[in-house]
Amino acid sequence: MRKDYNLEKRKYVIGGFLILIAIIYVVRLYELQIADNRYKEYADINAFLNKTQYPSRGLIYDRNGKLIVYNQPAYDVMMIPRDVKELDTLDFCHTLNLTPDQLRKRLSDMKDKRMNPGYSSYTPQRLISHLSAEDYGRLQEKLYRYPGFFIQKRILRQYAHKTAANVLGNIREVSSNDISRDPYYQSGDYCGDLGVEKSYEQYLRGEKGVEILIRDAHGRIKGRYDNGSKDVAPVSGRNLKLSLDLDLQQYAESLMVNKIGAVVAIEPSTGEILALVSSPTYDPTLLVGRQRGANYAALVNDHEKPLFDRALMGAYPPGSTFKPGQGLILLQENIVNLSTAYPCHHGFISGGLRVGCHSHGSPINLKPALQTSCNAYFCWGFKALVDKRSKYGNPAKAFEVWKNHLVSLGYGYRLGVDLPSEGRGFIPNAKFYNKIYGEGRWSANTIISVSIGQGEILATPLQIANLCATIANRGWFITPHVVKEIEDTVMPSELLEKRIPTIEAHHFNDVAEGMRMAVTGGTCRLANLPDIEVCGKTGTAQNPHGRDHSAFIGFAPYHDPKIAVCVYVENAGFGATFGVPIGSLVIEKYLTGSISPQRKYLEQRMLESNTKIYSGVKKH
Amino acid sequence: MESRNIKESPFRNIDWFTVVIYLLLVIAGAISIYAASYDFDNSSIFDFNEFSGKQIRWVFVSLAVGFILLLIDARMYETYAYPIYVAMVFILVVTIFIAPDIKGSRSWIVLGPISIQPAEFAKFATSLALAKLFSGYNFSLNARGGNYVRALAIIFIPIMLILAQRETGSALAYLALFFVLYREGMSGLILLAAAFAVVIFVVTVKFSETVTMGITTGEFSVFVLIMITMVSMLMVYCRNIMATRNVLVWFVGTGVIATILYWCGVAIPGYWYFGVVIGVASIYCIIELIKTHSKKILITFSTVALSVIFLFSVNYVFNNVLENHQQMRIKVTLGLEQDLRKAGYNVNQSKIAIGSGGFAGKGFLKGTQTKLKYVPEQHTDFIFCTIGEEEGFIGTTTVMLLFILLTLRVISLAERQPSAFGRVYAYCVASIFIFHFCINIGMVIGLCPVIGIPLPFFSYGGSSLLGFTLLLFILLRIDAARRGQSRNF
């Protein structure tokens, strides 16, 4: 047997070659299977079609259970670009009533990473939104011809009543910002914009579900993954019950037609907002569906700014509605007592300064001063407080004390209403005046106009109404809010807690009495309802724009308040001209459900009058 | 008397190690096919209408055939090696004419419900014939030129016939038999030359789209490679220090000059430059050859000359000889083409399948890539994907380990054969396994171009399973008889 041992060594070459190749392959397999995680994703993208199941959005009811906002199905045309094969463009356009150019534009917009940052040819993309029922029907029939396309059911908001647009808000498609802020959103989703739609988005939107479908190499759906055990069912959004009284809201809105301003009505014992009117308002149905974009732009550009919620964001001089608050501070700080009287000879005259007043008896103490809205009384009182160096050291310190009381009454800062974009008004502090006049170079006379709610003082109608509610409650308030109940959820505690100002409760009785006197025999006599004890205070606020703003605060009944109201009508003249009638009508309507015949003329006048014409405001 | 007993009972001497690995591979193969063809509404692994059921039937057929093979006297294989080969060649020829056209290939003979692929069976016949040739008395490959011709004829006749059936992949598998020739004395330089040719081919094609010095970067690189090879061969192989120094100085000098000229803005055309530089070096080699009559210088010169010729023929071969889909497959492997929808689709999806398996895999029957038919041919040529996806890195490495063990075992069986017949036959088996292993797994993981050949024992297909079983069990029978034979001598 011959055997060449030299050649036998070659077995090592052959075996070695095999082992070398095997090592290369193991390295490659390591790279594919362990080092590189992308393949897992690719496989999932291949195999799973995650079909989003959209929940139905929570419905919105008024405080009496009347439906205001509900849903209507809408249909979006979706496409998975990768799966689209040999599309007969002309036929497709014909089905959807589009021109080929429109389709091309839509396609290029869809692929534009700036406009649609979530674009991927592997995931469903929205091609056309809100198909009309007719187009939907046509497309549904032909859908089998267009592989890669499907119809996604969505919801659109529908409004049972065209009211309270500022409170309700609307929904819009999420922007790229929304998507980057909250991973819940995907391109094409909707989210709340303005109103409770925005502030209660978390509750209203529900939770999206997902149906995981298995898809084979030809794009055919092979069934549900794991028999649907990994699917997530959508959770419907929670329904909201607003604290708004739909009838009252509509009534207040009708009274505010052709006027610019706000009406806020609060149930004092709960802080629930019964009506929140910003005028001019708009029709919430304008911001639904395909026309939303154009209509929204028109609203933004409207010079009367209907999207600007005057009730929450408008910063107005409170004028004489400020006086009850003033009275409270003076009493609390022991500057005045009920018998303290100040002279008023048609005004406050001090050191060459004069603040005018109207005719009434003199000297005058607190309750009659509230009754007659005496400027001089509150100027003297304010001067006595700010200039009381014996107690406070200097005017700046005194002013800070005054300011802190106001803040505790809800002025100067946001109250925390459960709506987006609340304004904070403006209450100056000592530093502010130091900056303007120099430290130690100002005193009560310098800033005397703040004592009657003019000058630098600004407040939102909501804050003014809240102060009224605080007086109605005789010394406490609950943060005003528009949502009464969230279905299956406890209301946030901060909307239920009592907030107690730094004023002792018994002082409120005196102020309330003064406000009652204003109705029975003072500036608010128009609010004197036959069966209901109304308390009120007018306000006539000077402003640089035109005629005075007409304001009114009031609550009723006197001893068991059920409603506190603030009416603010821009450039409408005396508080008694528009503020008192509108406010008293709102109170009467809410408490009795109707307007008594002898006051019908007042209602008629308010419904028909137009303050815009005589506002004295220069049109821009 | 004892030797008679052994002859009659080969089971006592059978190499059970090999049998066990064989069984493991075959069972794992059937299970993988079940997994690969499993559908959601699919039922049993034994369902004869499904691939797995059919494959299990073929497993039993193979086991029976293997058992019968073990009963046949080992000397029969040697005696009838040539007749079997001739018969097989005849069948291959017949196949060309009677086989129906299935996806462009005419390699399947349809016999009623079953189709068989003679190319798979020709492997063992060719191996037997080659073994028989080498077992001739005092046969040595290098003794006479005629021996090479005969050996090559035995290898290339089936290759040509299978190419005529348009089964390029199967035909290429026979090239693996060059490992056998190498083991039996063929110069290793031929394998090196082949490797060098592959390198030239890859470099030329891979870098054919950028331009350096007026020629493609691929050509440029190959010229530089040829120059380096020339210097290295003169130094290491010829050990001619003088020549090495002269050629090196010439190459480096001209290179520096060309670079300086290039910086100065004078671009020398690439073909001219390399033509002159390599041409002058070659003439120098011829002069050296005439002076020294060194065979090694001749080989060096031939290498350079053949390389240059090969380089110029690469583009021609690539564009004119290879078919379109073959060109695409090579381009995909070299990363020149993505084309994930067509040519690159298989490999991309198979990489996704394997890659998504991770370390431990998705679990038996849980692979989405293969279940949902993303990988074409997943139960045949791409069966390795299923293993990779469902059993992960553990599964792929285990399967590879089993193959390596089997192949190394076959090599060790080869080396313990007392006769050249047994040894050469065993090397044939090992070579064919190596080729299938390297090419099949290489293509599945994207390292080789797609060449449609099965993974032995795993890929679906009766012909392939039976062919490999024949190959292996004949070896086992020959091996089992070796003790008896050696005693008889």
Side-chain angles (χ1 to χ4, degrees), chain A residues 377-549:
Chain A
Y377 181 89
F378 292 97
C379 290
W380 285 118
F382 181 71
K383 183 175 166 62
L385 186 147
V386 173
D387 291 349
K388 192 167 187 179
R389 289 169 194 265
S390 59
K391 187 171 179 187
Y392 306 108
N394 61 41
K397 284 183 183 159
F399 187 78
E400 281 295 299
V401 169
W402 178 84
K403 182 213 75 178
N404 288 337
H405 282 305
L406 271 179
V407 168
S408 84
L409 287 166
Y411 278 45
Y413 291 91
R414 290 182 185 91
L415 281 167
V417 69
D418 54 346
L419 285 169
S421 53
E422 184 192 353
R424 58 180 283 193
F426 182 71
I427 301 294
N429 56 17
K431 231 186 262 170
F432 177 84
Y433 288 118
N434 284 342
K435 216 170 183 179
I436 296 177
Y437 303 110
E439 231 174 298
R441 301 184 61 182
W442 54 277
S443 65
N445 278 3
T446 327
I447 57 170
I448 199 69
S449 52
V450 303
S451 63
I452 52 168
Q454 295 282 162
E456 290 80 14
I457 300 288
L458 295 173
T460 65
L462 181 74
Q463 287 171 331
I464 299 170
N466 183 61
L467 178 58
C468 181
T470 311
I471 296 168
N473 283 336
R474 311 296 197 266
W476 55 270
F477 68 94
I478 291 174
T479 307
H481 51 277
V482 293
V483 172
K484 192 176 163 66
E485 281 167 29
I486 307 167
E487 185 190 20
D488 296 335
T489 311
V490 180
M491 286 292 292
S493 61
E494 63 266 23
L495 295 181
L496 302 172
E497 279 167 11
K498 273 189 189 180
R499 292 163 65 175
I500 299 170
T502 52
I503 315 282
E504 283 163 49
H506 62 92
H507 297 312
F508 285 91
N509 282 324
D510 303 325
V511 171
E513 199 187 331
M515 288 171 69
R516 176 64 191 142
M517 285 158 64
V519 173
T520 51
T523 50
C524 310
R525 265 163 298 184
L526 268 179
N528 198 3
L529 304 178
D531 307 323
I532 301 160
E533 292 182 292
V534 178
C535 304
K537 181 75 200 77
T538 51
T540 305
Q542 294 172 358
N543 67 85
H545 306 293
R547 291 175 70 192
D548 291 347
H549 295 324

Side-chain angles (χ1 to χ4, degrees), chain B residues 140-162:
Chain B
S140 168
L141 199 52
N142 295 317
R144 291 191 299 139
N147 286 350
Y148 262 114
V149 174
R150 284 151 73 190
L152 291 178
I154 288 176
I155 296 174
F156 275 94
I157 288 170
I159 289 185
M160 302 317 282
L161 292 174
I162 296 168

Side-chain angles (χ1 to χ4, degrees), chain A residues 49-57 124 150 152-154 184-186 189 205-213 224 228-237:
Chain A
L49 180 69
N50 288 343
K51 212 171 160 197
T52 307
Q53 306 283 88
Y54 287 90
S56 110
R57 198 171 169 88
F150 63 96
Q152 175 84 62
K153 206 173 132 188
R154 297 285 188 138
Y184 175 84
Y185 296 117
Q186 286 161 338
D189 285 0
R205 72 185 181 190
E207 274 167 52
K208 279 186 281 194
V210 64
E211 189 180 22
I212 306 171
L213 299 173
R224 305 170 76 175
S229 67
K230 300 278 193 301
D231 290 2
V232 180
V235 179
S236 296

Side-chain angles (χ1 to χ4, degrees), chain A residues 182-215:
Chain A
D182 186 344
Y184 175 84
Y185 296 117
Q186 286 161 338
S187 180
D189 285 0
Y190 286 86
C191 70
D193 192 27
L194 307 174
V196 290
E197 296 273 19
K198 181 173 185 181
S199 55
Y200 286 86
E201 167 73 6
Q202 296 282 344
Y203 300 101
L204 286 169
R205 72 185 181 190
E207 274 167 52
K208 279 186 281 194
V210 64
E211 189 180 22
I212 306 171
L213 299 173
I214 298 181
R215 171 174 64 174

Side-chain angles (χ1 to χ4, degrees), chain A residues 1 3 10 25 28 46 215, chain B residues 182 186 374 415 418 438:
Chain A
M1 186 63 225
K3 200 159 185 181
R10 290 188 169 184
Y25 286 4
R28 171 69 163 187
N46 263 345
R215 171 174 64 174
Chain B
Y182 168 69
M186 183 185 78
Y374 281 93
E415 291 297 347
C438 293

Side-chain angles (χ1 to χ4, degrees), chain A residues 113-188:
Chain A
K113 283 272 182 193
R114 263 173 310 153
M115 298 174 75
N116 183 9
Y119 180 77
S120 152
S121 66
Y122 286 85
T123 55
Q125 301 293 319
R126 205 163 49 104
L127 182 66
I128 296 158
S129 52
H130 313 319
L131 224 50
S132 72
E134 199 183 313
D135 288 347
Y136 165 71
R138 250 199 327 271
L139 179 64
Q140 182 74 306
E141 247 168 56
K142 288 186 172 179
L143 203 59
Y144 72 95
R145 278 201 240 166
Y146 314 125
F149 288 89
F150 63 96
I151 293 173
Q152 175 84 62
K153 206 173 132 188
R154 297 285 188 138
I155 55 118
L156 283 181
R157 283 308 223 186
Q158 288 291 308
Y159 297 86
H161 305 276
K162 295 177 180 179
T163 187
N166 57 323
V167 177
L168 299 174
N170 53 83
I171 57 173
R172 62 168 165 83
E173 210 181 316
V174 290
S175 66
S176 50
N177 277 342
D178 299 319
I179 296 171
S180 60
R181 208 171 40 235
D182 186 344
Y184 175 84
Y185 296 117
Q186 286 161 338
S187 180

